[in-house]
Amino acid sequence: MSNENHPGGYRQHDREPIGYRAPAKRRQDHQEIYAPDWDELQLREQATRCMDCGVPTCTSGCPIGNIIPDWNDLVSRGDWRTALARLHATNNFPEFTGYACPAPCEDACTLNYNLQPVTIKDLERAIVDRGWEAGWIVPQPPPERSGLRVAVVGSGPAGLACAQQLNRAGHRVTVFERDDAPGGLVCYGIPDFKFSKDKLERRIGQLTAEGIVFRCSTELGRDVSLSELRAGHDAVGLTIGALHPRDVELPGRELDGIHFAMPYLVRENRRQAGREQTEGPDAAGRNVIVLGGGDTGADCVATALRQGAASVTQININERPPRERADDNPWPLVARTYKTSYALAEGADDEFSLDTLAFEDNDGNGHVDCLHTERVRWVRDQRGRRVDKHVHEADRRLPTELVLVAIGFSRPQTEALNAPELALDDNGTFATDGQMMTSVPGVFAGGDCNMGHSLLVWAIGEGRDLARSIDQYLAGTSRLPPSLRTSHRPLQPDSWDLTG
């Protein structure tokens, strides 16, 4: 291949993703589901499909504004190291997004208007993996220290991004994590077969070598108070997520065998890590129903299959999306189209337009054994909200011995913080001003606990913005780059050394 980029690459090469291991084999273990061997020529050819658009809609479609055309071009030329620098310029942890992000950038790719989009997610993953293999990703401690101290509460993607940015600005950062290992849901919420934890561990090692201190098994409100953190630090950043689960208030909800998704996933992830775990459900030999059609639900499906479930069915209350974009879902918006998840491909079923009416116990033993549903067609208002339904199939009953509720999260878990001085918005998230400061001076909030439950990639962007706000509060100004979604000013090359 020539070292020159090919403007017509999309004409010469069809979309060819890296792909997955065979479903029948991968469901037998907890190794990563992705194909292990990647061909460099294939990746470079895929990178040439990028048209380097004058208005890069992929970048605007990315919540953190990744400079996608730049590193596509660099990969096509074989300049992987500079591609890594461009990638790190806007994203502290591209392996997190490269493996676990649903890739809204690909929906926004110009080619996706009438062709197949560039394999952006695959290229991102390949760039950072190449960086680790080549030894290009090393600790970058700051050249000097400011003498100021910051406490970051929560070590998920938002907390880790915030901590790394603040540390590279010269501040002393301590991260407080209530669990026994850092990483938040990246550690215990995402299954190993979707994101192997050695990738997280090497990032934690990098951050530690840069000077960040992690204090695990330390919960705000139980082991340390907000007033103590404020007394011992010049600023506090809250990145505790939004893990209060949404529930289904239906008859029979009190029956045994009905569990929230996240504790179920956490328990299995802890078991795979060989760490102490609480008592909880196991899917072996059971008919499993997963309520909820999102990524968390898919991870529950795949976990239940690996535990030896007799059957797994994923239920979605909404209609099955169309195969092609509808008229009210134009490019470059996120495509609301039907896509078979990696989990369903492993041998599960999915059902749409099923409205759950009740959980039933026909045996009288206090344990759920049936899900009472009806198939419906929804009537929606002009804003797309469900206002009525037409029943197409009444009294549809599905046998089940294990129900996993995976319908999302509503707000941060603030009850145990013992910090009533922190004001909350109507939706239960922390109330913050334009600089991400809470109602308590010097205490800031970012990530899901500030914006509500969202994608992992949003959390990284929020963490970076949070670090900039804290740095401005402490120093009066900041060299940390703003997120591209919050600023019309493009990143300058001289700021890359703070983000690589």
Side-chain angles (χ1 to χ4, degrees):
M1 173 182 290
S2 167
N3 286 334
E4 296 181 2
N5 194 20
H6 296 270
Y10 68 95
R11 297 176 183 269
Q12 302 168 31
H13 306 290
D14 292 332
R15 176 183 167 93
E16 189 177 350
I18 290 173
Y20 297 85
R21 296 165 55 210
K25 291 185 177 180
R26 68 183 192 238
R27 65 176 284 180
Q28 303 301 319
D29 57 47
H30 286 259
Q31 299 175 25
E32 284 190 338
I33 60 178
Y34 313 101
D37 298 321
W38 303 348
D39 182 81
E40 179 171 350
L41 177 59
Q42 173 191 336
L43 290 166
R44 292 181 61 183
E45 288 177 346
Q46 291 299 298
T48 68
R49 298 185 72 244
C50 177
M51 296 190 296
D52 194 16
C53 305
V55 178
T57 48
C58 56
T59 292
S60 61
C62 174
I64 54 178
N66 277 333
I67 315 169
I68 295 166
D70 278 17
W71 40 263
N72 281 343
D73 176 58
L74 289 160
V75 168
S76 75
R77 300 169 185 269
D79 190 353
W80 292 87
R81 187 162 191 167
T82 308
L84 180 67
R86 295 295 195 277
L87 185 52
H88 272 144
T90 52
N91 188 348
N92 297 68
F93 315 116
E95 61 269 56
F96 294 6
T97 49
Y99 281 84
C101 178
C105 54
E106 293 191 9
D107 285 330
C109 174
T110 302
L111 285 178
N112 206 32
Y113 179 77
N114 61 351
L115 295 173
Q116 291 295 307
V118 175
T119 55
I120 298 171
K121 183 175 175 178
D122 283 356
L123 291 166
E124 178 181 33
R125 187 194 319 167
I127 291 168
V128 67
D129 283 356
R130 181 72 170 267
W132 282 109
E133 292 168 3
W136 298 331
I137 302 175
V138 296
Q140 297 182 30
E144 58 184 13
R145 291 290 180 179
S146 67
L148 301 173
R149 301 175 60 85
V150 182
V152 175
V153 183
S155 68
L160 294 179
C162 177
Q164 187 171 54
Q165 294 293 93
L166 285 170
N167 184 74
R168 290 183 175 178
H171 309 305
R172 291 287 184 183
V173 181
T174 301
V175 179
F176 295 83
E177 168 58 49
R178 68 179 180 179
D179 223 321
D180 59 357
L185 292 187
V186 176
C187 179
Y188 288 134
I190 301 176
D192 289 0
F193 50 78
K194 191 173 176 181
F195 183 80
S196 63
K197 298 310 178 290
D198 61 314
K199 296 179 175 63
L200 171 63
E201 291 167 359
R202 64 190 180 191
R203 278 295 182 185
I204 298 300
Q206 179 197 25
L207 269 60
T208 301
E210 290 178 353
I212 297 171
V213 175
F214 289 91
R215 287 186 54 183
C216 295
S217 301
T218 305
E219 184 174 358
L220 179 61
R222 182 192 66 187
D223 304 299
V224 63
S225 68
L226 183 60
S227 60
E228 289 173 326
L229 289 183
R230 294 180 66 201
H233 300 83
D234 298 286
V236 177
L238 302 176
T239 57
I240 64 172
L243 292 178
H244 188 84
R246 292 193 178 98
D247 205 350
V248 282
E249 301 297 337
L250 294 172
R253 178 62 180 86
E254 74 286 353
L255 292 172
D256 292 337
I258 305 170
H259 303 267
F260 286 119
M262 194 51 63
Y264 170 74
L265 292 175
V266 168
R267 180 174 181 271
E268 179 60 24
N269 287 335
R270 293 186 66 86
R271 187 174 78 86
Q272 293 301 318
R275 293 171 179 155
E276 182 181 355
Q277 55 197 289
T278 58
E279 291 296 323
D282 192 291
R286 296 180 174 181
N287 296 298
V288 179
I289 288 179
V290 178
L291 296 180
D295 286 346
T296 300
D299 293 344
C300 287
V301 169
T303 299
L305 289 171
R306 283 160 176 76
Q307 290 181 343
S311 71
V312 184
T313 303
Q314 188 173 14
I315 289 179
N316 198 315
I317 192 174
N318 295 310
E319 302 88 347
R320 183 189 296 271
R323 292 284 183 179
E324 304 292 336
R325 286 180 183 267
D327 291 341
D328 62 351
N329 179 219
W331 171 88
L333 299 178
V334 173
R336 298 192 300 270
T337 56
Y338 179 71
K339 301 173 183 176
T340 301
S341 72
Y342 79 94
L344 291 174
E346 293 177 352
D349 297 316
D350 60 352
E351 295 268 7
F352 287 83
S353 300
L354 281 189
D355 189 17
T356 302
L357 304 179
F359 305 100
E360 297 181 347
D361 170 21
N362 296 320
D363 296 334
N365 61 1
H367 197 285
V368 65
D369 57 29
C370 181
L371 189 70
H372 184 193
T373 72
E374 58 187 12
R375 196 179 300 280
V376 302
R377 181 173 62 83
W378 294 105
V379 178
R380 299 177 183 271
D381 62 16
Q382 291 182 341
R383 298 180 61 184
R385 296 173 299 189
R386 297 188 298 267
V387 295
D388 200 0
K389 65 182 178 181
H390 299 302
V391 177
H392 281 212
E393 184 182 356
D395 296 327
R396 179 176 172 83
R397 285 175 162 81
L398 304 175
T400 182
E401 297 82 41
L402 175 60
V403 177
L404 299 172
V405 180
I407 58 175
F409 306 89
S410 60
R411 58 178 176 81
Q413 296 173 317
T414 55
E415 296 84 357
L417 297 183
N418 295 322
E421 63 271 31
L422 289 169
L424 303 177
D425 284 330
D426 292 340
N427 62 1
T429 59
F430 292 120
T432 57
D433 62 16
Q435 298 301 313
M436 306 180 76
M437 188 184 291
T438 68
S439 56
V440 179
V443 179
F444 299 75
D448 289 357
C449 69
N450 177 49
M451 67 178 297
H453 181 66
S454 188
L455 302 177
L456 181 153
V457 64
W458 274 109
I460 293 175
E462 277 273 303
R464 291 169 65 88
D465 287 340
L466 179 62
R468 179 176 170 85
S469 292
I470 293 174
D471 190 35
Q472 286 179 324
Y473 169 78
L474 295 175
T477 185
S478 179
R479 290 186 61 241
L480 294 175
S483 165
L484 296 191
R485 63 188 172 84
T486 60
S487 171
H488 296 295
R489 177 177 65 82
L491 276 174
Q492 300 300 316
D494 63 358
S495 67
W496 291 349
D497 62 329
L498 295 175
T499 57

